[in-house]
């Protein structure tokens, strides 16, 4: 160790670094040879002793050569590359693009981030944002380096050194120009956010270094700079990590540094710390019912995937992992099964993503062989057996899933009666989704690019969901939301009951509307799924909304239903018009002055009638018909809506609904296509099994 070495706590531990460690060298990595060889290696390892000895003599050329030889001997490419491969982000590929085609495109300097391609005829500008409307994610995700995984996969298939050369040129261009921040928080900068640092270390960087390790293009000097940058990643992840799903990705990256690079001075400390944090975060971030606290079907998968990846690497390298992982991850996999729609996909909840469940359970069926239901979902019914239950409640997350069965033609609904979520939230409490007879029928706008566009604002708003706006205003839970006060152990205030004939759920929204967040009106929604139908009618949803104002003023209400396919309105019934496919009829009880309009693709005076499509990137949205029931009333109000799904070829069986506006009343009458009036009662529907908290 050089005489210039001093003790420094700047990085959050007593690290040994030289006095010039905080300099700005103008080109990365920041670590000098003296810093790296003199203070960043585990000199207790036999392979590093000669490196340290050469560094003490200031013979850095020898230190580099010996270090590179040692690293090539300690890394284990065949072991790492045999691990289950994480899927490439679809937003880094062109539509229907093969790995071979993507690799050739990358060699030409054409990169894709967030589904938007951009050519780089010369050096890559890693800070560039070529997108409209401030989509900073393009730059951030560019710096996750999925291209390096693509090049690595193609190199292993072909041995073509063009791919290794392209990788090395990109790496050197990045590491020279994109310097690790010295004291910036983890969420700052577009190139060194800690989420990107974690993803780089947990996915694309280890794939690349193990794939290209034997390439002659990967010289000793390149390998030294690589390991310097890995150490810089480690200390940034240690020092500046954040919370929620970011923390899981950060700790995945930090754990992998600690496992894969044992020659680094803090490898064991980083590894142990990361695994301890990951174990603790399961209880901190996941509801007891297994749903991740952000309540997003996308970030739920992100968290599961990162835990599975850490465990795969730990198992392969003989590192013990916390036993608490297993029961929590099994519960999280079970959530995917419980939420699954009849077509085998997940609903697009909050900043979620609609994706097939089967591939998400690949690791689960290996880890939990006793779960025949997970195997059934993973094999799409070819093996195992469906769950013995049908409908299911996630009472902490507030998701209530109603279904008539597990077949593809089943009638399915999901009601959101829960909390706001820790992040990635939408203002959508009391939202309802419906899937029936193989078709999505009642949907929401979904997720969209994290930019500053009107579409991004729309998808997060109440008006993009199937609930009620008050006085032209959206729900506003965000204004009063205190993330630090969230208790994941507390169940939602919703009430739920399920029997063989009827599912019933009830929840209340009383957290305010508009910019002031005033609670002005209390909205209680009760939803029934009558599974076997009623008399001459098939399975249907009965939705009862009770609106209780705090005052005697006149309030306006917009009752929203986002539909799929062509529809037409007749009176207070809005129904699908195509008999060739399954369709949904929406029939509302009458209120004085109530009108109904169908909006699709509206931009002015505000966005309405849109759905996100594709991978939720910029420009990926399409119009959908949205039925809006407008009503003005003073005092308490009860509105009853029947949502009646019909299988292909069947006529619409519902012609209208009659119900009192008195909130104390529970009677409902449904007019059928045959001219009958069928009488239902909320209390009768509940009599088989009373609602319970």
């Amino acid at each position: 160790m050089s005489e210039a070495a001093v003790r420094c706590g700047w990085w959050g531990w007593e690290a040994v670094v030289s006095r010039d460690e905080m300099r700005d060298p103008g080109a990365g990595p920041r670590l000098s040879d003296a810093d790296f060889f003199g203070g960043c290696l585990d000199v207790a390892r036999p392979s590093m002793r000669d490196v340290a000895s050469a560094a003490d003599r200031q013979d850095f050329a020898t230190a580099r050569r010996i270090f590179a030889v040692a690293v090539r001997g300690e890394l284990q490419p065949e072991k790492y590359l045999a691990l289950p491969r994480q899927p490439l982000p679809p937003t880094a590929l062109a539509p229907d693009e093969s790995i071979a085609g993507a690799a050739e495109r990358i060699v030409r300097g054409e990169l894709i981030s967030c589904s938007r391609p951009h050519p780089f005829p010369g050096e890559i500008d890693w800070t560039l944002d070529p997108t409209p409307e401030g989509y900073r994610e393009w730059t951030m995700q560019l710096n996750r380096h999925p291209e390096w995984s693509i090049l690595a996969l193609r190199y292993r298939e072909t041995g073509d050194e063009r791919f290794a050369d392209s990788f090395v040129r990109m790496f050197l261009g990045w590491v020279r120009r994109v310097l690790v921040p010295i004291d910036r928080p983890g969420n700052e900068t577009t190139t060194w956010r800690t989420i990107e640092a974690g993803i780089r270390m947990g996915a694309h960087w280890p794939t690349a270094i193990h794939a290209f390790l034997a390439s002659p293009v990967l010289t000793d000097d390149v390998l030294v700079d690589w390991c310097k940058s890995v150490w810089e990643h480690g200390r940034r992840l240690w020092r500046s990590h954040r919370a929620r799903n970011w923390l899981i990705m950060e700790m995945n990256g930090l754990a992998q540094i600690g496992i894969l690079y044992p020659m680094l001075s803090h490898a064991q400390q980083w590894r142990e710390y990361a695994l301890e944090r990951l174990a603790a975060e399961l209880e901190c971030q996941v509801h007891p019912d297994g749903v991740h606290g952000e309540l997003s079907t996308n970030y739920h998968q992100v968290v599961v995937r990162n835990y599975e990846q850490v465990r795969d690497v730990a198992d392969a390298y003989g590192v013990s992992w916390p036993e608490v992982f297993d029961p929590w991850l099994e519960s999280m996999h079970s959530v995917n099964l419980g939420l699954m729609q009849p077509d085998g996909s997940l609903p697009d909840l909050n900043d979620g993503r609609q994706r097939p469940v089967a591939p998400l359970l690949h690791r689960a069926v290996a880890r939990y062989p006793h779960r025949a239901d997970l195997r059934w979902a993973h094999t799409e019914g070819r093996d195992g057996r469906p769950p013995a239950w049908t409908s299911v409640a996630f009472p902490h997350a507030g998701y209530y899933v109603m279904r008539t069965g597990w077949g593809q033609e089943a009638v399915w609904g999901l009601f959101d009666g829960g909390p706001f979520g820790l992040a990635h939230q939408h203002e959508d409490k009391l939202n309802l989704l419906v899937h029936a007879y193989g078709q999505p029928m009642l949907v929401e706008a979904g997720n969209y690019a994290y930019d500053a566009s009107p579409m991004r604002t729309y998808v997060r708003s109440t008006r993009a969901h199937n609930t009620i706006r008050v006085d032209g205003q959206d729900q506003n839970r965000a204004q009063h939301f205190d993330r630090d006060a969230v208790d994941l152990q507390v169940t939602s205030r919703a009430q739920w009951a399920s029997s063989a004939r009827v599912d019933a759920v009830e929840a209340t929204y009383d957290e305010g509307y508009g910019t002031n967040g005033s609670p002005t009106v209390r909205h209680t929604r009760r939803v029934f799924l009558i599974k076997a139908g009623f008399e001459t009618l098939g399975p249907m949803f009965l939705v009862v909304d009770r609106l209780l104002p705090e005052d005697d003023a006149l309030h306006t209400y917009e009752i929203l239903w986002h539909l799929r396919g062509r529809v037409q309105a007749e009176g207070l019934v809005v129904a699908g018009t195509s008999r060739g496919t399954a369709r949904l009829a929406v029939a509302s009880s009458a209120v004085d002055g109530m009108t109904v309009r169908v909006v699709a693709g509206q931009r002015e005076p505000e966005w309405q009638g849109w759905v996100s499509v594709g991978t939720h990137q910029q420009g990926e949205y399409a119009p959908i018909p949205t039925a809006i029931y407008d009503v003005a009333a003073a005092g308490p109000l009860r509105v009853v809506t029947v949502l009646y799904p019909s299988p292909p070829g069947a006529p619409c069986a519902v012609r209208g609904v009659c119900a009192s506006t008195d909130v104390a009343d529970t009677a409902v009458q449904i007019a059928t296509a045959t001219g009958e009036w069928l009488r239902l009662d909320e209390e009768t529907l509940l009599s088989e099994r009373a609602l319970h908290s």
Side-chain angles (χ1 to χ4, degrees), residues 530 534 540 542 666-670 678-682 685:
I530 306 173
F534 182 74
M540 61 183 170
L542 184 70
T666 58
V668 179
Q669 297 185 72
I670 302 175
L678 304 182
R679 290 170 173 79
L680 294 171
D681 191 280
E682 295 176 58
L685 291 172

Side-chain angles (χ1 to χ4, degrees), residues 467-536:
T467 182
I468 297 180
R469 298 178 83 203
V470 175
D471 296 329
Q473 301 295 318
D474 293 323
Q475 295 176 7
N476 190 356
R477 289 184 284 180
Q479 181 163 313
H480 306 294
F481 179 64
D482 181 358
R483 184 179 290 111
D484 295 331
V486 173
D487 185 353
L488 297 185
Q489 305 301 312
V490 175
T491 58
S492 69
R493 293 180 294 166
Q495 296 175 297
W496 162 257
S498 179
S499 71
R501 294 183 63 249
V502 178
D503 292 334
V505 62
E506 179 181 292
T508 295
Y509 179 77
D510 57 2
E511 299 168 71
Y513 298 86
T515 55
N516 294 327
S518 172
T520 314
V521 174
R522 175 187 176 92
H523 176 200
T524 295
R525 170 168 280 184
R526 180 179 284 179
V527 178
F528 299 90
L529 170 58
I530 306 173
K531 298 181 182 180
F534 182 74
E535 296 191 11
T536 59

Side-chain angles (χ1 to χ4, degrees), residues 20-32:
D20 67 346
E21 197 271 342
M22 292 178 63
R23 76 197 191 291
D24 182 352
R30 286 189 184 274
L31 285 169
S32 67

